[in-house]
Amino acid sequence: MNTTAAQRHEVLVLGAGYAGLAAAVQLATRTRRRGNLRVTLVNPYDIFTERLRLHMTATGQETAKMSIPELLDGTGADFVRGWVTAVDTEAKTVRIDDNRVLRYDTLVYALGSIADSVAVPGVDDHAYTLNGPQDAALLADRLARLDGGTVVVGGSGLTGVEAAAEIAERYPQLQVVLLGRQEPGASMHPKAKAYLDAALARLGVQVRSGVEVVKVLPDRVELADGSSIETAAVLWTSGTRVSPLAAAAGLSVDERGRVVTDGALRSVSHPDVYAVGDAAAIRQGYGVMHGTCQGGMPTGVHAALSILRVLAGKEPKPFRFGYYHTPVSLGRSDAVVQFTHPDDSPRRIVLTGKRAAKYKETVTAAPWPAFSRMKKMPASGALWPHGGRYTRIRSAK
């Protein structure tokens, strides 16, 4: 029996990052034979962005090109390429940059986050970011043309650490300075932090913690203590921000603009909108989740399962998630893996060196085969990579 377009439930997924892709593939795969639900995935690019490898792209290394339409092939999901410019929660429509208007019955908001390049004057104009492959490629071009000089990496979080190590290893003629308010690896177990510190020292990365950048200029950064550092290039990794579209649409958001969700990942103000990944403020017993691929894919899967339960007239189940590890690359053949408690606090278990690098590579590569496996899954379960393994989650029934 054919279902008319008027009878079909339209699910629109905004953003094809780890979380958005997981939601789209799960939904489409589970309903492709029913004909009463259509899934449409909207994204500015048709190539999947491996955010976990952008520090490699930024140093001129080739990474695999992963086609989003190819990934969706066989699931029944549609793909629309375009930038989302507005969400109308009253009319239940989304406008994209070519002025097309897409209708939805259920919306999955997965627009992610980018580096906060507006909080510090000059960052937007004079610093590079790792917001996507194009941005990373711009930095790669700049680094390849430098014979010497200082590259400042602003932000001593894990993205900054990985980028600083990669740049120092690939371009030994450059002086890499890692700036941050906190010491790199501050939240790690002392053993893991000591290894990280030693690796950065071995690579020649100059670490300056307890400092604050107050302005970025074309040839230097100015610090809060009145000093400055001359620069050949600046990479900004300090802090993140999300799209203002959610707040503009009237969705309830937190102080950072992330959509506030209930236990099933629905917007607390608009229950026909689900928010996943970095764009969502998802509270667990230990606090609000922070954005990682490790947590992003499970939120996408759970949102899909919640949608299916609601459409079946059932109550969705609460989302539960615990962290497992923090893998950090320190160049191509070195890494440190900090295993964690579910609340992300460090355990005593640490993996270092080449074994850790191999582990990190396995984790980085895991999402792509996970998406492929999702397409073959029966309706009774879902898979996502967890610590280099695949964990089956049964919550659809």
Side-chain angles (χ1 to χ4, degrees):
M1 181 177 178
N2 293 330
T3 302
T4 67
Q7 297 172 315
R8 191 163 49 197
H9 190 94
E10 299 282 348
V11 179
L12 203 57
V13 181
L14 307 183
Y18 296 102
L21 259 178
V25 172
Q26 279 289 319
L27 273 170
T29 299
R30 291 171 180 275
T31 59
R32 58 188 163 195
R33 293 185 178 90
R34 301 182 191 178
N36 61 348
L37 183 145
R38 180 168 68 178
V39 179
T40 302
L41 178 62
V42 182
N43 198 63
Y45 312 108
D46 57 9
I47 299 297
F48 178 68
T49 298
E50 285 193 284
R51 294 186 69 88
L52 298 177
R53 296 187 190 274
L54 286 177
H55 58 286
M56 297 172 60
T57 306
T59 51
Q61 301 174 68
E62 289 291 327
T63 59
K65 298 290 189 295
M66 301 179 180
S67 166
I68 295 172
E70 178 182 316
L71 175 63
L72 296 177
D73 186 43
T75 67
D78 295 327
F79 177 72
V80 173
R81 182 172 178 175
W83 289 91
V84 176
T85 58
V87 176
D88 187 332
T89 54
E90 296 299 320
K92 292 192 174 183
T93 58
V94 169
R95 185 178 295 275
I96 57 178
D97 54 346
D98 61 3
N99 287 322
R100 275 183 290 175
V101 176
L102 308 175
R103 187 186 71 82
Y104 69 85
D105 295 300
T106 299
L107 183 70
V108 179
Y109 189 90
L111 291 180
S113 65
I114 59 175
D116 187 355
S117 59
V118 298
V120 175
V123 170
D124 218 18
D125 295 322
H126 307 303
Y128 297 88
T129 66
L130 298 181
N131 289 336
Q134 291 79 5
D135 300 300
L138 289 174
L139 176 57
D141 179 68
R142 175 61 176 164
L143 294 176
R145 291 185 286 110
L146 293 177
D147 293 327
T150 298
V151 176
V152 164
V153 178
S156 56
L158 301 184
T159 300
V161 168
E162 290 195 324
E166 205 77 32
I167 294 169
E169 182 177 84
R170 295 280 292 183
Y171 300 100
Q173 76 276 18
L174 302 177
Q175 172 63 59
V176 179
V177 179
L178 179 61
L179 301 179
R181 296 179 182 179
Q182 290 190 317
E183 294 184 3
S187 63
M188 290 181 165
H189 186 275
K191 179 181 177 181
K193 182 177 174 3
Y195 189 89
L196 185 151
D197 290 342
L200 291 176
R202 172 178 54 78
L203 290 167
V205 175
Q206 180 185 343
V207 177
R208 294 183 59 179
S209 56
V211 300
E212 180 182 357
V213 178
V214 295
K215 193 171 187 180
V216 177
L217 297 167
D219 58 353
R220 69 186 187 278
V221 295
E222 295 183 349
L223 307 181
D225 63 5
S227 65
S228 64
I229 302 173
E230 293 187 2
T231 60
V234 178
L235 170 61
W236 196 256
T237 68
S238 180
T240 59
R241 60 187 173 95
V242 299
S243 168
L245 287 172
L251 295 168
S252 179
V253 299
D254 70 356
E255 69 282 355
R256 292 176 54 189
R258 297 176 297 181
V259 178
V260 180
T261 70
D262 67 8
L265 306 186
R266 295 172 295 196
S267 161
V268 295
S269 60
H270 295 74
D272 55 349
V273 177
Y274 292 74
V276 296
D278 294 5
I282 301 170
R283 183 164 292 280
Q284 298 289 284
Y286 48 78
V288 178
M289 290 176 60
H290 61 79
T292 64
C293 166
Q294 182 183 177
M297 288 183 69
T299 65
V301 170
H302 192 87
L305 301 179
S306 294
I307 291 168
L308 293 176
R309 288 186 65 87
V310 170
L311 293 178
K314 302 175 183 179
E315 277 296 311
K317 296 184 178 181
F319 177 70
R320 295 288 181 265
F321 175 78
Y323 295 97
Y324 183 76
H325 59 197
T326 303
V328 185
S329 295
L330 298 169
R332 286 300 82 216
S333 59
D334 196 7
V336 57
V337 179
Q338 171 69 73
F339 292 93
T340 66
H341 297 288
D343 65 356
D344 206 30
S345 61
R347 299 170 65 191
R348 295 177 61 86
I349 304 173
V350 174
L351 194 63
T352 60
K354 291 184 178 180
R355 291 200 316 169
K358 184 176 180 180
Y359 182 101
K360 174 66 176 353
E361 177 59 27
T362 301
V363 171
T364 301
W368 188 251
F371 290 137
S372 299
R373 291 190 184 204
M374 284 179 191
K375 296 196 294 184
K376 303 174 184 178
M377 285 296 297
S380 60
L383 287 176
W384 64 68
H386 188 70
R389 303 186 301 274
Y390 286 97
T391 302
R392 185 180 298 275
I393 304 299
R394 296 183 180 275
S395 57
K397 294 183 178 180

